[in-house]
Amino acid sequence: MDPEAGKLVSFAIRWVHDREIRHYRDANMYPDSKKCPYDCFNTFTGFDVDKIKITEEDRQEAQKGIELIKWLIRRNVENEEHYEFTIKLLAHMFQFPGVKCRTSMILQSRNQGIGKGTFIDILTKMVGKIHTYKSSELDTIFGTFNGCTENKMLLVLDEVSPNKSQYDKMKNRTSEPTTTIRHMHQTSYETPDYVFIVTLLNAEKVVCHLEENERRNFITGSQSEILTGDEI
């Protein structure tokens, strides 16, 4: 109802002619919302783990989940020093999402079934599917079109062996503050990039073209045995 005209008016018409209508000049991802311009729509929806309301009664159960995550990490890294660094890498992503880590993590194990997948499943639930992309096809990430990586905070490369060109693009995506997003049949555009990359490998897979004194990749391995039914 239009209060001035005293008659029914289409909502769409009133919305289009609303002088106070919110409009945006651009859309982009700003994990640090304080840096998002007023006329830019922020595509970062927040981490799913931050949306969970935990009561005091829930904290004991939540602690069990934290201990499970720590146990899974310890199973997938080489030693205590690597464990501590892994915790810091993950903490950085959640505590400072608007500051790119500039280091990727490579988890390699001699066996399948030691818990890498379970660890990533939990991490994905914490980040949220909308900001996570997992693939064993490197072309979907580092190929001609990479729209699937748009607005992502976590990229998981599952059982991959990149060639030289793909590895160079992986290094750039790890360390550069911006990236170019290319959708098919659309104009490409440059955007700030905050992504953290995790690569999962088994013993038969190799990471090609690693350089001496590699600083952009944190590589750790595990000698753990396959999880048994009792451990799961």
Side-chain angles (χ1 to χ4, degrees):
M1 176 71 70
D2 187 335
E4 295 182 1
K7 61 181 180 179
L8 293 176
V9 178
S10 167
F11 163 77
I13 294 177
R14 292 193 62 190
W15 180 73
V16 168
H17 290 88
D18 188 346
R19 294 181 179 180
E20 298 182 358
I21 188 173
R22 185 69 190 272
H23 63 279
Y24 300 94
R25 172 188 54 82
D26 196 7
N28 224 323
M29 188 171 79
Y30 288 90
D32 184 351
S33 60
K34 295 178 181 178
K35 296 181 180 180
C36 182
Y38 175 78
D39 58 351
C40 180
F41 180 79
N42 192 354
T43 57
F44 181 65
T45 63
F47 294 118
D48 278 8
V49 68
D50 292 332
K51 302 170 186 176
I52 301 174
K53 304 298 182 182
I54 299 179
T55 64
E56 288 299 324
E57 291 75 14
D58 295 329
R59 292 190 180 279
Q60 186 173 357
E61 291 299 318
Q63 187 61 37
K64 294 179 182 178
I66 293 172
E67 293 303 320
L68 172 62
I69 295 172
K70 291 180 178 179
W71 179 75
L72 284 169
I73 293 174
R74 278 198 166 92
R75 283 188 58 85
N76 282 281
V77 299
E78 191 171 332
N79 52 47
E80 192 66 17
E81 182 180 2
H82 284 196
Y83 166 78
E84 294 293 339
F85 190 66
T86 300
I87 291 293
K88 291 178 180 179
L89 283 177
L90 298 176
H92 180 95
M93 177 173 62
F94 288 104
Q95 294 177 9
F96 307 101
V99 180
K100 191 164 186 174
C101 179
R102 303 181 69 183
T103 299
S104 70
M105 182 166 62
I106 299 174
L107 298 178
Q108 186 166 26
S109 61
R110 68 176 184 177
N111 294 311
Q112 297 184 18
I114 69 165
K116 294 194 303 293
T118 302
F119 166 61
I120 291 299
D121 287 345
I122 294 174
L123 190 58
T124 297
K125 289 182 181 298
M126 294 174 67
V127 173
K129 288 186 177 181
I130 192 171
H131 292 306
T132 302
Y133 182 70
K134 178 181 178 182
S135 179
S136 59
E137 300 294 333
L138 287 175
D139 281 343
T140 65
I141 300 173
F142 305 117
T144 303
F145 303 108
N146 63 351
C148 56
T149 69
E150 184 179 42
N151 298 324
K152 297 298 184 278
M153 295 294 296
L154 176 65
L155 293 182
V156 181
L157 314 182
D158 190 16
E159 303 298 329
V160 297
S161 291
N163 58 37
K164 180 63 166 62
S165 175
Q166 291 169 333
Y167 180 67
D168 287 342
K169 291 178 180 178
M170 176 179 169
K171 288 194 301 181
N172 288 335
R173 192 72 192 263
T174 296
S175 60
E176 293 300 315
T178 63
T179 191
T180 300
I181 297 297
R182 297 175 298 275
H183 290 280
M184 188 176 294
H185 305 308
Q186 295 184 33
T187 303
S188 61
Y189 68 96
E190 188 174 8
T191 180
D193 192 35
Y194 307 95
V195 75
F196 176 55
I197 300 175
V198 179
T199 302
L200 307 179
L201 298 174
N202 288 319
E204 67 273 11
K205 296 283 187 178
V206 296
V207 181
C208 299
H209 313 291
L210 287 179
E211 302 170 355
E212 189 176 356
N213 300 320
E214 181 66 49
R215 59 183 175 82
R216 279 176 281 199
N217 287 307
F218 165 55
I219 306 171
T220 187
S222 172
Q223 300 298 316
S224 299
E225 299 296 332
I226 298 174
L227 287 170
T228 65
D230 291 340
E231 288 178 299
I232 298 173

Short mmCIF file of all heavy atoms in Angstrom, two decimals, residues 76-121:
data_model
loop_
_atom_site.label_atom_id
_atom_site.label_comp_id
_atom_site.label_asym_id
_atom_site.label_seq_id
_atom_site.Cartn_x
_atom_site.Cartn_y
_atom_site.Cartn_z
N ASN A 76 49.41 -37.08 10.86
CA ASN A 76 49.72 -36.72 9.48
C ASN A 76 50.97 -35.87 9.32
O ASN A 76 51.28 -35.46 8.19
CB ASN A 76 48.53 -36.00 8.86
CG ASN A 76 47.42 -36.96 8.45
OD1 ASN A 76 47.50 -37.61 7.42
ND2 ASN A 76 46.39 -37.05 9.28
N VAL A 77 51.68 -35.59 10.40
CA VAL A 77 52.90 -34.81 10.30
C VAL A 77 54.08 -35.62 10.82
O VAL A 77 53.91 -36.66 11.46
CB VAL A 77 52.79 -33.47 11.06
CG1 VAL A 77 51.68 -32.62 10.48
CG2 VAL A 77 52.57 -33.70 12.55
N GLU A 78 55.27 -35.10 10.54
CA GLU A 78 56.49 -35.88 10.78
C GLU A 78 56.94 -35.88 12.22
O GLU A 78 57.41 -36.88 12.75
CB GLU A 78 57.60 -35.32 9.88
CG GLU A 78 58.84 -36.19 9.83
CD GLU A 78 59.80 -35.70 8.76
OE1 GLU A 78 59.35 -35.11 7.77
OE2 GLU A 78 61.01 -35.92 8.95
N ASN A 79 56.81 -34.74 12.90
CA ASN A 79 57.32 -34.64 14.26
C ASN A 79 56.59 -33.52 15.01
O ASN A 79 55.71 -32.86 14.46
CB ASN A 79 58.84 -34.39 14.27
CG ASN A 79 59.23 -33.22 13.38
OD1 ASN A 79 58.62 -32.15 13.44
ND2 ASN A 79 60.24 -33.42 12.53
N GLU A 80 56.98 -33.31 16.26
CA GLU A 80 56.30 -32.31 17.09
C GLU A 80 56.50 -30.89 16.57
O GLU A 80 55.59 -30.06 16.65
CB GLU A 80 56.80 -32.41 18.54
CG GLU A 80 55.99 -31.63 19.55
CD GLU A 80 54.57 -32.16 19.72
OE1 GLU A 80 54.29 -33.31 19.32
OE2 GLU A 80 53.73 -31.41 20.25
N GLU A 81 57.68 -30.62 16.03
CA GLU A 81 57.92 -29.29 15.46
C GLU A 81 56.98 -29.02 14.30
O GLU A 81 56.43 -27.92 14.18
CB GLU A 81 59.38 -29.18 15.00
CG GLU A 81 59.73 -27.80 14.45
CD GLU A 81 61.17 -27.73 13.99
OE1 GLU A 81 61.89 -28.75 14.05
OE2 GLU A 81 61.59 -26.63 13.55
N HIS A 82 56.78 -30.03 13.44
CA HIS A 82 55.86 -29.88 12.31
C HIS A 82 54.42 -29.73 12.80
O HIS A 82 53.62 -29.01 12.19
CB HIS A 82 55.98 -31.08 11.38
CG HIS A 82 57.21 -31.04 10.53
ND1 HIS A 82 57.36 -31.82 9.40
CD2 HIS A 82 58.35 -30.31 10.63
CE1 HIS A 82 58.54 -31.58 8.86
NE2 HIS A 82 59.15 -30.68 9.59
N TYR A 83 54.10 -30.43 13.88
CA TYR A 83 52.76 -30.32 14.45
C TYR A 83 52.49 -28.89 14.90
O TYR A 83 51.43 -28.31 14.60
CB TYR A 83 52.62 -31.28 15.63
CG TYR A 83 51.41 -31.01 16.50
CD1 TYR A 83 50.14 -31.43 16.11
CD2 TYR A 83 51.54 -30.33 17.72
CE1 TYR A 83 49.03 -31.17 16.91
CE2 TYR A 83 50.44 -30.07 18.52
CZ TYR A 83 49.18 -30.49 18.10
OH TYR A 83 48.10 -30.23 18.89
N GLU A 84 53.44 -28.30 15.63
CA GLU A 84 53.27 -26.94 16.12
C GLU A 84 53.13 -25.95 14.97
O GLU A 84 52.31 -25.02 15.02
CB GLU A 84 54.46 -26.54 17.01
CG GLU A 84 54.57 -27.33 18.31
CD GLU A 84 53.44 -27.04 19.26
OE1 GLU A 84 52.80 -25.97 19.12
OE2 GLU A 84 53.18 -27.86 20.16
N PHE A 85 53.92 -26.14 13.89
CA PHE A 85 53.84 -25.23 12.76
C PHE A 85 52.52 -25.38 12.03
O PHE A 85 51.93 -24.39 11.56
CB PHE A 85 55.01 -25.48 11.80
CG PHE A 85 55.14 -24.44 10.72
CD1 PHE A 85 55.46 -23.13 11.03
CD2 PHE A 85 54.90 -24.76 9.39
CE1 PHE A 85 55.57 -22.16 10.04
CE2 PHE A 85 55.00 -23.80 8.39
CZ PHE A 85 55.34 -22.49 8.72
N THR A 86 52.02 -26.61 11.92
CA THR A 86 50.72 -26.84 11.28
C THR A 86 49.61 -26.14 12.04
O THR A 86 48.72 -25.51 11.44
CB THR A 86 50.42 -28.35 11.20
OG1 THR A 86 51.43 -29.00 10.42
CG2 THR A 86 49.06 -28.62 10.56
N ILE A 87 49.63 -26.23 13.35
CA ILE A 87 48.65 -25.55 14.19
C ILE A 87 48.69 -24.04 13.93
O ILE A 87 47.65 -23.38 13.80
CB ILE A 87 48.90 -25.83 15.68
CG1 ILE A 87 48.58 -27.31 16.01
CG2 ILE A 87 48.04 -24.91 16.56
CD1 ILE A 87 47.14 -27.69 15.89
N LYS A 88 49.89 -23.48 13.81
CA LYS A 88 50.03 -22.05 13.56
C LYS A 88 49.50 -21.66 12.18
O LYS A 88 48.86 -20.61 12.03
CB LYS A 88 51.50 -21.64 13.71
CG LYS A 88 52.01 -21.70 15.15
CD LYS A 88 53.48 -21.34 15.24
CE LYS A 88 53.97 -21.42 16.68
NZ LYS A 88 55.42 -21.09 16.79
N LEU A 89 49.76 -22.50 11.17
CA LEU A 89 49.24 -22.22 9.83
C LEU A 89 47.72 -22.17 9.82
O LEU A 89 47.10 -21.26 9.26
CB LEU A 89 49.73 -23.28 8.84
CG LEU A 89 51.17 -23.20 8.35
CD1 LEU A 89 51.47 -24.38 7.43
CD2 LEU A 89 51.42 -21.90 7.61
N LEU A 90 47.10 -23.17 10.45
CA LEU A 90 45.64 -23.23 10.48
C LEU A 90 45.06 -22.09 11.32
O LEU A 90 44.04 -21.49 10.95
CB LEU A 90 45.20 -24.58 11.05
CG LEU A 90 45.61 -25.81 10.23
CD1 LEU A 90 45.20 -27.09 10.95
CD2 LEU A 90 45.02 -25.78 8.84
N ALA A 91 45.71 -21.79 12.43
CA ALA A 91 45.24 -20.70 13.28
C ALA A 91 45.30 -19.37 12.54
O ALA A 91 44.40 -18.52 12.68
CB ALA A 91 46.08 -20.63 14.56
N HIS A 92 46.33 -19.18 11.72
CA HIS A 92 46.46 -17.94 10.96
C HIS A 92 45.27 -17.75 10.03
O HIS A 92 44.74 -16.63 9.93
CB HIS A 92 47.76 -17.96 10.15
CG HIS A 92 47.97 -16.72 9.34
ND1 HIS A 92 48.72 -15.65 9.78
CD2 HIS A 92 47.51 -16.36 8.11
CE1 HIS A 92 48.71 -14.69 8.87
NE2 HIS A 92 47.99 -15.10 7.84
N MET A 93 44.86 -18.83 9.35
CA MET A 93 43.74 -18.71 8.42
C MET A 93 42.47 -18.25 9.12
O MET A 93 41.73 -17.41 8.60
CB MET A 93 43.49 -20.06 7.72
CG MET A 93 42.30 -20.04 6.77
SD MET A 93 42.12 -21.54 5.79
CE MET A 93 41.87 -22.78 7.07
N PHE A 94 42.21 -18.78 10.31
CA PHE A 94 40.97 -18.45 11.02
C PHE A 94 41.07 -17.13 11.80
O PHE A 94 40.09 -16.40 11.90
CB PHE A 94 40.59 -19.58 11.97
CG PHE A 94 40.10 -20.81 11.27
CD1 PHE A 94 40.91 -21.92 11.14
CD2 PHE A 94 38.82 -20.86 10.73
CE1 PHE A 94 40.46 -23.06 10.48
CE2 PHE A 94 38.36 -21.98 10.08
CZ PHE A 94 39.18 -23.10 9.95
N GLN A 95 42.24 -16.84 12.35
CA GLN A 95 42.37 -15.65 13.19
C GLN A 95 42.68 -14.40 12.38
O GLN A 95 42.31 -13.29 12.79
CB GLN A 95 43.46 -15.88 14.24
CG GLN A 95 43.11 -16.96 15.24
CD GLN A 95 44.24 -17.22 16.23
OE1 GLN A 95 45.23 -16.50 16.28
NE2 GLN A 95 44.09 -18.26 17.03
N PHE A 96 43.36 -14.56 11.24
CA PHE A 96 43.71 -13.41 10.40
C PHE A 96 43.33 -13.70 8.96
O PHE A 96 44.19 -13.76 8.07
CB PHE A 96 45.21 -13.12 10.51
CG PHE A 96 45.71 -12.95 11.91
CD1 PHE A 96 46.38 -13.98 12.55
CD2 PHE A 96 45.49 -11.77 12.60
CE1 PHE A 96 46.84 -13.84 13.84
CE2 PHE A 96 45.95 -11.60 13.89
CZ PHE A 96 46.61 -12.65 14.53
N PRO A 97 42.04 -13.90 8.68
CA PRO A 97 41.62 -14.29 7.32
C PRO A 97 41.91 -13.25 6.26
O PRO A 97 42.02 -13.58 5.07
CB PRO A 97 40.11 -14.51 7.48
CG PRO A 97 39.72 -13.65 8.64
CD PRO A 97 40.90 -13.71 9.58
N GLY A 98 42.06 -11.99 6.68
CA GLY A 98 42.34 -10.93 5.72
C GLY A 98 43.82 -10.72 5.45
O GLY A 98 44.19 -9.80 4.72
N VAL A 99 44.68 -11.58 6.02
CA VAL A 99 46.12 -11.52 5.79
C VAL A 99 46.56 -12.85 5.20
O VAL A 99 46.47 -13.90 5.85
CB VAL A 99 46.90 -11.25 7.10
CG1 VAL A 99 48.40 -11.20 6.81
CG2 VAL A 99 46.43 -9.97 7.75
N LYS A 100 47.02 -12.83 3.96
CA LYS A 100 47.37 -14.08 3.29
C LYS A 100 48.58 -14.73 3.96
O LYS A 100 49.57 -14.08 4.27
CB LYS A 100 47.67 -13.82 1.81
CG LYS A 100 47.78 -15.10 0.98
CD LYS A 100 47.70 -14.81 -0.49
CE LYS A 100 47.66 -16.10 -1.30
NZ LYS A 100 47.45 -15.85 -2.74
N CYS A 101 48.50 -16.05 4.14
CA CYS A 101 49.55 -16.81 4.82
C CYS A 101 50.83 -16.88 3.99
O CYS A 101 51.93 -16.84 4.52
CB CYS A 101 49.03 -18.21 5.11
SG CYS A 101 50.24 -19.27 5.93
N ARG A 102 50.67 -17.04 2.67
CA ARG A 102 51.78 -17.11 1.72
C ARG A 102 52.64 -18.36 1.89
O ARG A 102 53.79 -18.40 1.46
CB ARG A 102 52.65 -15.84 1.79
CG ARG A 102 51.86 -14.56 1.53
CD ARG A 102 52.74 -13.35 1.59
NE ARG A 102 53.66 -13.32 0.46
CZ ARG A 102 54.59 -12.37 0.30
NH1 ARG A 102 54.71 -11.40 1.20
NH2 ARG A 102 55.38 -12.39 -0.73
N THR A 103 52.09 -19.37 2.53
CA THR A 103 52.74 -20.68 2.64
C THR A 103 51.68 -21.74 2.44
O THR A 103 50.60 -21.68 3.04
CB THR A 103 53.39 -20.87 4.03
OG1 THR A 103 54.39 -19.88 4.23
CG2 THR A 103 54.01 -22.25 4.15
N SER A 104 51.95 -22.71 1.57
CA SER A 104 51.03 -23.83 1.40
C SER A 104 51.54 -25.04 2.16
O SER A 104 52.71 -25.10 2.55
CB SER A 104 50.87 -24.17 -0.09
OG SER A 104 52.06 -24.74 -0.60
N MET A 105 50.66 -26.00 2.38
CA MET A 105 51.02 -27.19 3.15
C MET A 105 50.86 -28.44 2.29
O MET A 105 49.84 -28.61 1.62
CB MET A 105 50.15 -27.29 4.41
CG MET A 105 50.49 -28.48 5.30
SD MET A 105 49.75 -28.34 6.95
CE MET A 105 48.00 -28.32 6.54
N ILE A 106 51.87 -29.29 2.31
CA ILE A 106 51.84 -30.56 1.59
C ILE A 106 51.91 -31.69 2.60
O ILE A 106 52.88 -31.80 3.35
CB ILE A 106 52.99 -30.67 0.58
CG1 ILE A 106 52.89 -29.56 -0.46
CG2 ILE A 106 53.00 -32.03 -0.10
CD1 ILE A 106 54.06 -29.49 -1.41
N LEU A 107 50.86 -32.52 2.65
CA LEU A 107 50.81 -33.67 3.55
C LEU A 107 51.02 -34.94 2.74
O LEU A 107 50.22 -35.26 1.86
CB LEU A 107 49.46 -33.73 4.26
CG LEU A 107 49.09 -32.56 5.18
CD1 LEU A 107 47.69 -32.77 5.75
CD2 LEU A 107 50.10 -32.41 6.30
N GLN A 108 52.10 -35.65 3.04
CA GLN A 108 52.40 -36.89 2.31
C GLN A 108 52.54 -38.03 3.31
O GLN A 108 53.16 -37.89 4.36
CB GLN A 108 53.68 -36.74 1.50
CG GLN A 108 53.96 -37.95 0.60
CD GLN A 108 55.02 -37.66 -0.44
OE1 GLN A 108 55.87 -36.80 -0.24
NE2 GLN A 108 54.97 -38.35 -1.56
N SER A 109 51.96 -39.18 2.97
CA SER A 109 52.03 -40.34 3.85
C SER A 109 52.42 -41.58 3.05
O SER A 109 52.20 -41.64 1.84
CB SER A 109 50.68 -40.57 4.54
OG SER A 109 49.67 -40.82 3.57
N ARG A 110 52.98 -42.54 3.73
CA ARG A 110 53.38 -43.77 3.03
C ARG A 110 52.19 -44.69 2.81
O ARG A 110 52.24 -45.59 1.99
CB ARG A 110 54.44 -44.50 3.83
CG ARG A 110 53.95 -45.08 5.16
CD ARG A 110 55.03 -45.87 5.86
NE ARG A 110 54.53 -46.49 7.08
CZ ARG A 110 55.26 -47.28 7.85
NH1 ARG A 110 56.52 -47.54 7.53
NH2 ARG A 110 54.75 -47.82 8.95
N ASN A 111 51.11 -44.47 3.56
CA ASN A 111 49.93 -45.31 3.45
C ASN A 111 48.68 -44.47 3.20
O ASN A 111 48.60 -43.31 3.59
CB ASN A 111 49.70 -46.11 4.74
CG ASN A 111 50.80 -47.12 4.99
OD1 ASN A 111 51.16 -47.89 4.11
ND2 ASN A 111 51.33 -47.11 6.21
N GLN A 112 47.70 -45.09 2.56
CA GLN A 112 46.36 -44.52 2.53
C GLN A 112 45.65 -44.90 3.81
O GLN A 112 46.03 -45.83 4.50
CB GLN A 112 45.59 -45.04 1.32
CG GLN A 112 46.19 -44.66 -0.02
CD GLN A 112 45.34 -45.12 -1.19
OE1 GLN A 112 44.16 -45.43 -1.03
NE2 GLN A 112 45.93 -45.15 -2.37
N GLY A 113 44.60 -44.15 4.13
CA GLY A 113 43.78 -44.52 5.27
C GLY A 113 44.34 -44.15 6.62
O GLY A 113 44.00 -44.76 7.64
N ILE A 114 45.21 -43.12 6.69
CA ILE A 114 45.74 -42.72 7.99
C ILE A 114 45.02 -41.50 8.57
O ILE A 114 45.35 -41.06 9.66
CB ILE A 114 47.25 -42.43 7.92
CG1 ILE A 114 47.51 -41.16 7.10
CG2 ILE A 114 48.02 -43.60 7.37
CD1 ILE A 114 48.91 -40.63 7.31
N GLY A 115 44.06 -40.95 7.82
CA GLY A 115 43.25 -39.88 8.38
C GLY A 115 43.37 -38.54 7.68
O GLY A 115 42.79 -37.56 8.15
N LYS A 116 44.08 -38.46 6.55
CA LYS A 116 44.19 -37.18 5.84
C LYS A 116 42.82 -36.70 5.39
O LYS A 116 42.48 -35.52 5.54
CB LYS A 116 45.11 -37.31 4.61
CG LYS A 116 46.56 -37.60 4.91
CD LYS A 116 47.47 -37.38 3.71
CE LYS A 116 47.07 -38.20 2.49
NZ LYS A 116 47.24 -39.65 2.68
N GLY A 117 42.03 -37.61 4.82
CA GLY A 117 40.70 -37.24 4.34
C GLY A 117 39.79 -36.78 5.45
O GLY A 117 39.03 -35.82 5.29
N THR A 118 39.85 -37.47 6.59
CA THR A 118 39.02 -37.08 7.74
C THR A 118 39.41 -35.71 8.25
O THR A 118 38.55 -34.87 8.57
CB THR A 118 39.17 -38.11 8.87
OG1 THR A 118 38.81 -39.41 8.39
CG2 THR A 118 38.28 -37.76 10.06
N PHE A 119 40.70 -35.45 8.30
CA PHE A 119 41.19 -34.14 8.72
C PHE A 119 40.67 -33.05 7.79
O PHE A 119 40.19 -32.00 8.25
CB PHE A 119 42.73 -34.16 8.74
CG PHE A 119 43.35 -32.80 8.83
CD1 PHE A 119 43.12 -31.97 9.92
CD2 PHE A 119 44.18 -32.33 7.82
CE1 PHE A 119 43.70 -30.71 10.00
CE2 PHE A 119 44.75 -31.08 7.89
CZ PHE A 119 44.51 -30.26 8.98
N ILE A 120 40.73 -33.28 6.48
CA ILE A 120 40.26 -32.28 5.51
C ILE A 120 38.75 -32.12 5.60
O ILE A 120 38.22 -31.00 5.46
CB ILE A 120 40.68 -32.68 4.09
CG1 ILE A 120 42.19 -32.56 3.93
CG2 ILE A 120 39.97 -31.81 3.05
CD1 ILE A 120 42.73 -31.15 4.16
N ASP A 121 38.01 -33.21 5.85
CA ASP A 121 36.56 -33.11 6.00
C ASP A 121 36.20 -32.20 7.16
O ASP A 121 35.28 -31.36 7.06
CB ASP A 121 35.95 -34.50 6.23
CG ASP A 121 35.94 -35.35 4.97
OD1 ASP A 121 36.13 -34.78 3.87
OD2 ASP A 121 35.76 -36.58 5.09
#
